[in-house]
Amino acid sequence: MTSDLLAPLDLAFWNMESAEHPMHLGALGVFTAHSPTAGAHAADLLAGRAAAVPGLRMRIRDVWPLGFPYAFGGAARVPDPEFDPLRHVLLHAPTADFHAEAGRLMQRPLDRERPPWEAHVLPGEDGVSFAVLFKFHHALADGLRALTLAAAVLDPMDLPARKPRPAEPAKSALPDVRKLPGLVRGAVSDLSRALDIGASVALSSMGVRSSAALTSEPSGTRRTAGVVVDLDDVHRVRKSRGGTVNDVLIAVVAGALRRWLDERGDGSEGVAPRALIPVSRRRPRTAHPQGNRLSGYLMRLPVDDPDPLGRLDTVRTAMDRNKDAGSNRGAGAVALLADHVPALGHRLGGPLAGQGARLWFDILVTSVPLPGVGLKLGGNPVTEVYPFAPLARGQSLAVAISTYRGQVHYGLVADAEAVPDLDLLARSLTEEVKELLVACGS
């Protein structure tokens, strides 16, 4: 194993982390247990397999002492000579509430002196189920990369053979003078794109109010909840109204927020929070290379619209407009600007960037792709998979969505003090799907 520099966006995630806002993503997998000892056996399997996965042995270290003087202020993934999987795979006492335990564990930052990941095995008190909460620092993996690492410690899957990729030639630290004209044109293009993004960010913050329920001072606490929706119901709505599955799933979030705000007494009138919709620039078959490859779309969620079909139409129109513009422009592409900040700038400005998230967007709504095949651990099948996104500073709620085996799983992460009624929002998601079905005549 060799060292490799963190990509600019990885470095940004590493430096903007704080004790109150850890920058790890997570996934809670619920398994059907074949025996009461299945959880303990799963922990043994995870620890044994983790030792053989190179990506799980990598820690993050400053680059100056590692021989990268040209990247002063940066960091690199380096092999941990003292890697012990038993420090990362932890077996807990039986629990009756997987989400209560997941919330407590999600609020705990990963140890930055070790490879930044953990797998928490949670046996169920019922003896017929157990759960595994995977935590990966965003500097180690984006959603697709995290899926690849998690899949490496689950039971082998029957997937199509991966085509070998041609080796890339080594890159010099200095540009090829023959390419300077193209580099100059690229720099001008990058500057134009940066100005477009900056203008879009400014415009996105004007004119429509958000809700105080979506912003909070950091408490460092976390609460999680999960909701399961039948994918066939989502397809019924999509076929009736047009658009994509993702359009329907985002519209469901908008409608659920409306119900939640009204029921808790905050009110939804005039509320149209800015939602960041991350977009992966990595294809599934290129999930192995290190580094986050993310852009995003930014849109106003039509929380203030009382008509469920009107909300869906608004979401579909906004997403179509975003797709037409592309993921390299617009306010949601702010993440791409990380590529143009020097490493030292990320180190010095990371905390400030983390505090500025609330100026950019109000809520994160992200989709995490999962394989269509059934996942297992020790022969025990996965029945539910709830993805969890990091919670940005100053924000109370993040929503992640995955589709698995005919079901849609919403994973909700909230500041536990700011959102003590997260279960109410979870119920609102279920109720919104029902209302959409009725509105579509299904």
Side-chain angles (χ1 to χ4, degrees):
M1 290 183 290
T2 59
S3 304
D4 66 294
L5 287 171
L6 293 190
L9 188 54
D10 302 340
L11 189 61
F13 287 137
W14 186 248
N15 285 308
M16 71 173 57
E17 181 174 59
S18 67
E20 295 80 15
H21 283 86
M23 290 302 299
H24 55 253
L25 46 85
L28 181 69
V30 179
F31 297 76
T32 297
H34 291 328
S35 73
T37 61
H41 178 55
D44 291 339
L45 285 175
L46 290 173
R49 293 170 178 175
V53 180
L56 297 179
R57 303 175 67 93
M58 305 298 279
R59 64 201 295 192
I60 295 177
R61 284 290 178 268
D62 294 342
V63 299
W64 183 254
L66 300 175
F68 296 99
Y70 54 85
F72 180 69
R77 300 179 189 87
V78 300
D80 183 357
E82 299 179 355
F83 175 70
D84 181 356
L86 296 180
R87 293 177 175 176
H88 300 265
V89 179
L90 305 170
L91 178 63
H92 295 260
T95 179
D97 190 336
F98 294 138
H99 278 288
E101 287 299 308
R104 180 180 62 82
L105 294 167
M106 283 295 292
Q107 73 187 31
R108 190 170 70 189
L110 293 164
D111 188 341
R112 292 169 69 93
E113 299 300 315
R114 298 173 181 167
W117 68 275
E118 292 174 348
H120 297 270
V121 181
L122 310 171
E125 284 187 353
D126 56 14
V128 296
S129 65
F130 68 91
V132 178
L133 174 67
F134 288 101
K135 294 169 55 179
F136 295 99
H137 199 286
H138 223 325
L140 179 70
D142 58 13
L144 277 173
R145 175 65 177 167
L147 173 62
T148 301
L149 292 173
V153 293
L154 296 178
D155 292 356
M157 295 182 290
D158 294 326
L159 297 177
R162 185 182 301 275
K163 295 181 180 179
R165 297 190 305 131
E168 296 183 1
K171 295 182 179 179
S172 169
L174 298 176
D176 186 336
V177 295
R178 294 170 296 181
K179 298 180 179 179
L180 283 178
L183 293 173
V184 172
R185 286 194 299 271
V188 172
S189 176
D190 287 346
L191 177 60
S192 174
R193 181 172 63 181
L195 291 174
D196 283 351
I197 292 171
S200 298
V201 170
L203 290 172
S204 73
S205 62
M206 299 172 61
V208 185
R209 80 178 183 93
S210 181
S211 171
L214 298 177
T215 60
S216 66
E217 292 303 316
S219 71
T221 60
R222 293 291 181 273
R223 186 185 305 273
T224 73
V227 177
V228 180
V229 172
D230 193 321
L231 184 58
D232 286 342
D233 288 342
V234 176
H235 279 300
R236 289 188 186 97
V237 175
R238 179 191 61 79
K239 291 176 181 178
S240 172
R241 204 66 179 180
T244 67
V245 166
N246 201 42
D247 294 342
V248 177
L249 298 178
I250 295 171
V252 167
V253 173
L257 288 173
R258 176 182 176 84
R259 290 172 178 273
W260 176 62
L261 292 174
D262 287 342
E263 289 191 36
R264 75 193 323 246
D266 290 322
S268 60
E269 183 177 356
V271 173
R274 297 162 299 173
L276 175 64
I277 317 293
V279 177
S280 176
R281 297 188 297 132
R282 180 204 302 275
R283 295 182 178 181
R285 285 189 174 276
T286 60
H288 281 290
Q290 302 279 11
N292 280 275
R293 289 165 171 80
L294 294 172
S295 180
Y297 299 142
L298 199 69
M299 63 176 294
R300 291 280 185 178
L301 292 180
V303 171
D304 56 345
D305 189 340
D307 178 14
L309 296 182
R311 292 192 292 268
L312 176 55
D313 290 344
T314 299
V315 168
R316 184 183 63 190
T317 299
M319 288 299 288
D320 286 345
R321 186 167 57 247
N322 275 320
K323 292 171 187 175
D324 288 342
S327 60
N328 291 333
R329 290 187 180 272
V334 150
L336 298 180
L337 298 183
D339 293 343
H340 307 289
V341 177
L344 187 58
H346 282 297
R347 182 173 295 278
L348 298 178
L352 182 62
Q355 294 178 21
R358 72 167 73 187
L359 302 177
W360 174 25
F361 63 97
D362 303 304
I363 183 172
L364 178 73
V365 182
T366 183
S367 295
V368 181
L370 292 177
V373 298
L375 302 172
K376 295 182 180 181
L377 179 56
N380 302 285
V382 174
T383 57
E384 303 165 38
V385 184
Y386 300 100
F388 298 134
L391 198 59
R393 175 176 287 275
Q395 296 174 350
S396 304
L397 178 68
V399 180
I401 310 167
S402 66
T403 301
Y404 176 71
R405 309 285 283 179
Q407 294 182 319
V408 177
H409 295 88
Y410 284 91
L412 309 178
V413 176
D415 184 291
E417 292 188 8
V419 188
D421 56 348
L422 188 61
D423 289 343
L424 174 60
L425 177 58
R427 290 196 298 273
S428 297
L429 287 165
T430 301
E431 292 167 1
E432 180 63 15
V433 174
K434 294 178 181 177
E435 182 171 354
L436 275 170
L437 286 169
V438 171
C440 291
S442 299

